[in-house]
């Protein structure tokens, strides 16, 4: 994999952002997109298919390797299919297991994160090692013909790009690197940077997961609902690159306001680390949307990540995670609290519209969703969902056909 975001790429992005700012309309020949059917947010069959065939077969963002610092470090992820434990084994590798005991299915871990040598089920104490092997069964004499070798914790694949960790339930899925395609080298600087967890929050929002994802796939809404952010980012200059497999890359130039020292100090407090590795993230807000549900932002001092986890057809868990450039042994700067507060304000603004949108959809208050050119990432998301489903699972009137293939950059 090539190194990423070199000067040539940065210069090209700048040129393209300029071109976006000055264009007078969509590129010649850009198609009129059909309205997205409102049924895509309410149809239970489509939802079931999304869970099984999209979330069940895609690489899902699972954290940063710094969250698994030593042998035995683990985190439990609440994914739509199942709870998954990601743990660092004795060989230093990360592995994933379904958090379901092979006896009667009780969880083998109850804490959200921690460090363990063995995973001991709290129902009858069957115990699993860091490879997920069943190593101890109390009163084993009573289990006729039990073969412990056949009762390991169910495995879930874990792969990483740099230090970004992803999981996948599908043994047959292509590798993470292949799936991310051109986005993998592009995100490497950020993914390799030494980051650490600054803050993580989860919000339950009563809307379909796609309504939430869509709010992070365009910057058209920024001037209306994010007045503070709108001072900093010049949204008409937004460059959105549609990438294969439903992914996309977003680059939004900063406004001249950031040249003001006071303003810049508010956005990037001087005492926060600004490592050379993140140099490419100066001058613009960058975002890597990893299909289906995570927007990973690149910032000169770190990396906010937004993930949208369906918990039911009309409910989504919104995980907001802030990773900051590692500050080593120094004390954590209070400036991180300012960054967290800014993120809270931004995400609060985003959430304001989502439940009302779901209510409008439920009431069929509008007939369908007309998407503008700036919103083409939303079509790209829906078209990729349909590609991953067997076509007969999406009724004809609801389909999002692959109309933007010519605009996908490979
Ligand atoms: S369910 Fe885990 S030991 Fe019985
Ligand atoms: Fe937003």
């Amino acid at each position: 994999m090539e190194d990423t975001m070199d000067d040539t790429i940065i210069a090209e992005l700048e040129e393209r952002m300029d071109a976006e700012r000055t264009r007078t309309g969509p590129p010649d020949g850009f198609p009129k997109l059909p309205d997205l059917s409102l049924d895509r947010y309410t149809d239970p069959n489509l939802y079931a298919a999304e869970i099984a065939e999209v979330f069940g077969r895609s690489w899902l963002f699972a954290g940063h390797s710094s969250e698994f610092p030593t042998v035995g470090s683990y985190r439990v992820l609440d994914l739509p299919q199942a709870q998954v434990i990601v743990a660092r084994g004795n060989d230093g590798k990360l592995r994933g297991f379904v958090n379901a005991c092979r006896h009667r299915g009780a969880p083998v871990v109850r804490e959200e994160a921690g460090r363990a040598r063995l995973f001991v089920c709290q129902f009858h104490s069957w115990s699993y090692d860091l490879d997920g092997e069943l190593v101890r069964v109390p009163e084993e004499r009573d289990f006729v013909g039990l073969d412990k070798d056949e009762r390991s914790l169910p495995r879930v694949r874990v792969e990483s790009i740099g230090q970004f960790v992803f999981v996948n339930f599908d043994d047959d899925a292509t590798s993470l690197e292949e799936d991310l395609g051109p986005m993998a080298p592009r995100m490497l600087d950020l993914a390799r940077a030494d980051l650490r967890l600054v803050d993580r929050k989860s919000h339950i929002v009563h809307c379909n997961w796609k309504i939430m994802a869509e709010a992070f796939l365009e910057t058209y809404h920024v001037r209306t609902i994010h007045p503070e952010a709108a001072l900093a980012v010049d949204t008409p200059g937004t460059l959105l690159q549609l990438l294969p497999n439903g992914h996309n890359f977003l680059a939004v130039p900063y406004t001249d306001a950031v040249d003001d020292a006071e303003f810049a100090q508010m956005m990037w407090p001087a005492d926060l680390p600004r490592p050379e590795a993140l140099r490419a993230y100066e001058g613009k807000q960058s975002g890597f949307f990893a299909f289906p549900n995570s927007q990973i932002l690149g910032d000169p001092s770190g990396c906010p990540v937004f993930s949208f986890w369906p918990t039911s057809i009309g409910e989504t868990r919104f995980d907001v995670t802030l990773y900051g450039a590692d500050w080593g042994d120094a004390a954590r700067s209070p400036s991180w609290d300012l960054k967290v507060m800014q993120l809270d304000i931004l995400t609060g603004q985003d959430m304001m519209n989502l439940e009302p949108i779901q209510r409008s959809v439920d009431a069929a208050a509008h007939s369908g969703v007309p998407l503008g050119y700036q919103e083409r990432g939303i079509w790209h998301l829906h078209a990729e969902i349909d590609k991953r489903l067997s076509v007969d699972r999406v009724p004809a009137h609801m389909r999002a056909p692959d109309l933007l293939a010519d605009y996908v950059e490979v």
Side-chain angles (χ1 to χ4, degrees), residues 306-328:
F306 306 119
S307 293
F308 326 110
W309 298 105
T311 50
S312 71
I313 186 167
E315 188 185 271
T316 302
R317 193 183 76 242
F318 181 26
D319 284 353
V320 183
T321 309
L322 177 61
Y323 298 106
D326 193 9
W327 54 88

mmCIF file of all heavy atoms in Angstrom, residues 306-328:
data_model
loop_
_atom_site.group_PDB
_atom_site.id
_atom_site.type_symbol
_atom_site.label_atom_id
_atom_site.label_comp_id
_atom_site.label_asym_id
_atom_site.label_seq_id
_atom_site.Cartn_x
_atom_site.Cartn_y
_atom_site.Cartn_z
ATOM 1 N N PHE A 306 -17.800 9.315 13.833
ATOM 2 C CA PHE A 306 -19.241 9.179 14.043
ATOM 3 C C PHE A 306 -19.670 7.825 13.490
ATOM 4 O O PHE A 306 -19.385 7.532 12.327
ATOM 5 C CB PHE A 306 -20.007 10.268 13.288
ATOM 6 C CG PHE A 306 -19.543 11.669 13.596
ATOM 7 C CD1 PHE A 306 -19.042 12.486 12.599
ATOM 8 C CD2 PHE A 306 -19.611 12.170 14.888
ATOM 9 C CE1 PHE A 306 -18.615 13.788 12.869
ATOM 10 C CE2 PHE A 306 -19.182 13.474 15.173
ATOM 11 C CZ PHE A 306 -18.687 14.284 14.161
ATOM 12 N N SER A 307 -20.360 7.028 14.302
ATOM 13 C CA SER A 307 -20.861 5.740 13.801
ATOM 14 C C SER A 307 -22.345 5.634 14.102
ATOM 15 O O SER A 307 -22.814 6.086 15.150
ATOM 16 C CB SER A 307 -20.125 4.563 14.458
ATOM 17 O OG SER A 307 -18.782 4.553 14.057
ATOM 18 N N PHE A 308 -23.061 5.003 13.181
ATOM 19 C CA PHE A 308 -24.525 4.953 13.226
ATOM 20 C C PHE A 308 -24.948 3.493 13.281
ATOM 21 O O PHE A 308 -24.849 2.789 12.269
ATOM 22 C CB PHE A 308 -25.111 5.650 11.999
ATOM 23 C CG PHE A 308 -24.277 6.832 11.558
ATOM 24 C CD1 PHE A 308 -23.544 6.798 10.375
ATOM 25 C CD2 PHE A 308 -24.176 7.961 12.370
ATOM 26 C CE1 PHE A 308 -22.747 7.868 9.996
ATOM 27 C CE2 PHE A 308 -23.371 9.038 11.990
ATOM 28 C CZ PHE A 308 -22.661 8.994 10.801
ATOM 29 N N TRP A 309 -25.408 3.049 14.442
ATOM 30 C CA TRP A 309 -25.701 1.627 14.626
ATOM 31 C C TRP A 309 -27.190 1.399 14.737
ATOM 32 O O TRP A 309 -27.815 1.848 15.706
ATOM 33 C CB TRP A 309 -25.013 1.122 15.910
ATOM 34 C CG TRP A 309 -23.534 1.246 15.863
ATOM 35 C CD1 TRP A 309 -22.762 2.170 16.507
ATOM 36 C CD2 TRP A 309 -22.626 0.411 15.115
ATOM 37 N NE1 TRP A 309 -21.437 1.963 16.212
ATOM 38 C CE2 TRP A 309 -21.327 0.901 15.371
ATOM 39 C CE3 TRP A 309 -22.793 -0.690 14.272
ATOM 40 C CZ2 TRP A 309 -20.186 0.320 14.794
ATOM 41 C CZ3 TRP A 309 -21.666 -1.255 13.709
ATOM 42 C CH2 TRP A 309 -20.378 -0.755 13.971
ATOM 43 N N PRO A 310 -27.776 0.706 13.786
ATOM 44 C CA PRO A 310 -29.204 0.425 13.907
ATOM 45 C C PRO A 310 -29.480 -0.466 15.121
ATOM 46 O O PRO A 310 -28.787 -1.460 15.324
ATOM 47 C CB PRO A 310 -29.535 -0.332 12.603
ATOM 48 C CG PRO A 310 -28.232 -0.731 12.000
ATOM 49 C CD PRO A 310 -27.174 0.164 12.573
ATOM 50 N N THR A 311 -30.440 -0.059 15.944
ATOM 51 C CA THR A 311 -30.864 -0.918 17.046
ATOM 52 C C THR A 311 -32.265 -1.455 16.775
ATOM 53 O O THR A 311 -32.673 -2.452 17.350
ATOM 54 C CB THR A 311 -30.848 -0.141 18.385
ATOM 55 O OG1 THR A 311 -31.564 1.079 18.202
ATOM 56 C CG2 THR A 311 -29.421 0.210 18.790
ATOM 57 N N SER A 312 -33.002 -0.786 15.916
ATOM 58 C CA SER A 312 -34.260 -1.311 15.377
ATOM 59 C C SER A 312 -34.535 -0.474 14.130
ATOM 60 O O SER A 312 -33.784 0.462 13.835
ATOM 61 C CB SER A 312 -35.416 -1.191 16.387
ATOM 62 O OG SER A 312 -35.788 0.162 16.526
ATOM 63 N N ILE A 313 -35.615 -0.786 13.447
ATOM 64 C CA ILE A 313 -35.841 -0.082 12.175
ATOM 65 C C ILE A 313 -35.952 1.433 12.376
ATOM 66 O O ILE A 313 -35.493 2.209 11.534
ATOM 67 C CB ILE A 313 -37.079 -0.656 11.444
ATOM 68 C CG1 ILE A 313 -37.227 -0.019 10.065
ATOM 69 C CG2 ILE A 313 -38.352 -0.488 12.256
ATOM 70 C CD1 ILE A 313 -38.220 -0.723 9.167
ATOM 71 N N GLY A 314 -36.495 1.848 13.518
ATOM 72 C CA GLY A 314 -36.714 3.277 13.738
ATOM 73 C C GLY A 314 -35.842 3.837 14.855
ATOM 74 O O GLY A 314 -36.158 4.884 15.421
ATOM 75 N N GLU A 315 -34.772 3.129 15.192
ATOM 76 C CA GLU A 315 -33.918 3.622 16.277
ATOM 77 C C GLU A 315 -32.454 3.366 15.947
ATOM 78 O O GLU A 315 -32.105 2.309 15.419
ATOM 79 C CB GLU A 315 -34.270 2.922 17.594
ATOM 80 C CG GLU A 315 -33.550 3.519 18.785
ATOM 81 C CD GLU A 315 -33.807 2.746 20.071
ATOM 82 O OE1 GLU A 315 -34.790 3.081 20.767
ATOM 83 O OE2 GLU A 315 -33.031 1.811 20.364
ATOM 84 N N THR A 316 -31.613 4.359 16.254
ATOM 85 C CA THR A 316 -30.194 4.259 15.921
ATOM 86 C C THR A 316 -29.369 4.707 17.118
ATOM 87 O O THR A 316 -29.728 5.674 17.791
ATOM 88 C CB THR A 316 -29.892 5.174 14.712
ATOM 89 O OG1 THR A 316 -30.724 4.762 13.625
ATOM 90 C CG2 THR A 316 -28.436 5.087 14.284
ATOM 91 N N ARG A 317 -28.312 3.979 17.363
ATOM 92 C CA ARG A 317 -27.358 4.446 18.381
ATOM 93 C C ARG A 317 -26.259 5.232 17.669
ATOM 94 O O ARG A 317 -25.664 4.751 16.714
ATOM 95 C CB ARG A 317 -26.748 3.281 19.157
ATOM 96 C CG ARG A 317 -25.997 3.753 20.417
ATOM 97 C CD ARG A 317 -25.323 2.634 21.171
ATOM 98 N NE ARG A 317 -24.113 2.203 20.495
ATOM 99 C CZ ARG A 317 -23.914 0.981 20.001
ATOM 100 N NH1 ARG A 317 -24.847 0.061 20.088
ATOM 101 N NH2 ARG A 317 -22.786 0.688 19.399
ATOM 102 N N PHE A 318 -26.075 6.443 18.131
ATOM 103 C CA PHE A 318 -25.107 7.367 17.526
ATOM 104 C C PHE A 318 -23.879 7.387 18.431
ATOM 105 O O PHE A 318 -23.937 7.888 19.541
ATOM 106 C CB PHE A 318 -25.779 8.746 17.449
ATOM 107 C CG PHE A 318 -24.959 9.844 16.842
ATOM 108 C CD1 PHE A 318 -23.946 9.606 15.939
ATOM 109 C CD2 PHE A 318 -25.242 11.172 17.181
ATOM 110 C CE1 PHE A 318 -23.211 10.646 15.385
ATOM 111 C CE2 PHE A 318 -24.519 12.221 16.628
ATOM 112 C CZ PHE A 318 -23.495 11.946 15.730
ATOM 113 N N ASP A 319 -22.796 6.786 17.980
ATOM 114 C CA ASP A 319 -21.556 6.784 18.762
ATOM 115 C C ASP A 319 -20.667 7.920 18.272
ATOM 116 O O ASP A 319 -20.344 7.989 17.083
ATOM 117 C CB ASP A 319 -20.800 5.459 18.591
ATOM 118 C CG ASP A 319 -21.438 4.322 19.373
ATOM 119 O OD1 ASP A 319 -22.388 4.584 20.145
ATOM 120 O OD2 ASP A 319 -20.986 3.165 19.218
ATOM 121 N N VAL A 320 -20.289 8.784 19.181
ATOM 122 C CA VAL A 320 -19.405 9.907 18.857
ATOM 123 C C VAL A 320 -18.114 9.694 19.647
ATOM 124 O O VAL A 320 -18.129 9.693 20.877
ATOM 125 C CB VAL A 320 -20.047 11.254 19.263
ATOM 126 C CG1 VAL A 320 -19.140 12.412 18.859
ATOM 127 C CG2 VAL A 320 -21.431 11.398 18.641
ATOM 128 N N THR A 321 -17.047 9.465 18.925
ATOM 129 C CA THR A 321 -15.781 9.157 19.581
ATOM 130 C C THR A 321 -14.759 10.203 19.151
ATOM 131 O O THR A 321 -14.655 10.512 17.963
ATOM 132 C CB THR A 321 -15.276 7.765 19.151
ATOM 133 O OG1 THR A 321 -16.340 6.823 19.333
ATOM 134 C CG2 THR A 321 -14.080 7.335 19.993
ATOM 135 N N LEU A 322 -14.038 10.730 20.109
ATOM 136 C CA LEU A 322 -12.956 11.663 19.757
ATOM 137 C C LEU A 322 -11.618 11.037 20.137
ATOM 138 O O LEU A 322 -11.386 10.705 21.300
ATOM 139 C CB LEU A 322 -13.139 12.997 20.506
ATOM 140 C CG LEU A 322 -12.021 14.017 20.272
ATOM 141 C CD1 LEU A 322 -11.906 14.415 18.794
ATOM 142 C CD2 LEU A 322 -12.232 15.264 21.136
ATOM 143 N N TYR A 323 -10.790 10.817 19.122
ATOM 144 C CA TYR A 323 -9.414 10.410 19.365
ATOM 145 C C TYR A 323 -8.542 11.648 19.176
ATOM 146 O O TYR A 323 -8.717 12.392 18.214
ATOM 147 C CB TYR A 323 -8.972 9.328 18.372
ATOM 148 C CG TYR A 323 -9.772 8.043 18.463
ATOM 149 C CD1 TYR A 323 -10.716 7.708 17.482
ATOM 150 C CD2 TYR A 323 -9.591 7.166 19.526
ATOM 151 C CE1 TYR A 323 -11.453 6.537 17.564
ATOM 152 C CE2 TYR A 323 -10.327 5.991 19.619
ATOM 153 C CZ TYR A 323 -11.259 5.675 18.629
ATOM 154 O OH TYR A 323 -11.986 4.526 18.707
ATOM 155 N N GLY A 324 -7.588 11.830 20.091
ATOM 156 C CA GLY A 324 -6.687 12.970 19.990
ATOM 157 C C GLY A 324 -5.275 12.485 19.778
ATOM 158 O O GLY A 324 -4.932 11.354 20.146
ATOM 159 N N ALA A 325 -4.448 13.359 19.184
ATOM 160 C CA ALA A 325 -3.037 13.019 19.041
ATOM 161 C C ALA A 325 -2.474 12.764 20.443
ATOM 162 O O ALA A 325 -2.717 13.530 21.377
ATOM 163 C CB ALA A 325 -2.298 14.164 18.363
ATOM 164 N N ASP A 326 -1.757 11.668 20.577
ATOM 165 C CA ASP A 326 -1.279 11.226 21.888
ATOM 166 C C ASP A 326 -0.453 12.320 22.561
ATOM 167 O O ASP A 326 0.409 12.926 21.925
ATOM 168 C CB ASP A 326 -0.436 9.971 21.700
ATOM 169 C CG ASP A 326 -0.165 9.285 23.028
ATOM 170 O OD1 ASP A 326 -0.761 9.691 24.042
ATOM 171 O OD2 ASP A 326 0.659 8.346 23.037
ATOM 172 N N TRP A 327 -0.741 12.562 23.829
ATOM 173 C CA TRP A 327 0.000 13.592 24.561
ATOM 174 C C TRP A 327 1.026 12.971 25.511
ATOM 175 O O TRP A 327 1.537 13.632 26.415
ATOM 176 C CB TRP A 327 -0.960 14.524 25.299
ATOM 177 C CG TRP A 327 -1.943 13.830 26.204
ATOM 178 C CD1 TRP A 327 -1.746 13.503 27.522
ATOM 179 C CD2 TRP A 327 -3.275 13.400 25.874
ATOM 180 N NE1 TRP A 327 -2.877 12.888 28.014
ATOM 181 C CE2 TRP A 327 -3.838 12.816 27.030
ATOM 182 C CE3 TRP A 327 -4.055 13.441 24.702
ATOM 183 C CZ2 TRP A 327 -5.132 12.274 27.052
ATOM 184 C CZ3 TRP A 327 -5.333 12.901 24.729
ATOM 185 C CH2 TRP A 327 -5.850 12.331 25.887
ATOM 186 N N GLY A 328 1.345 11.717 25.292
ATOM 187 C CA GLY A 328 2.422 11.066 26.044
ATOM 188 C C GLY A 328 2.171 11.066 27.539
ATOM 189 O O GLY A 328 1.045 10.838 27.981
#
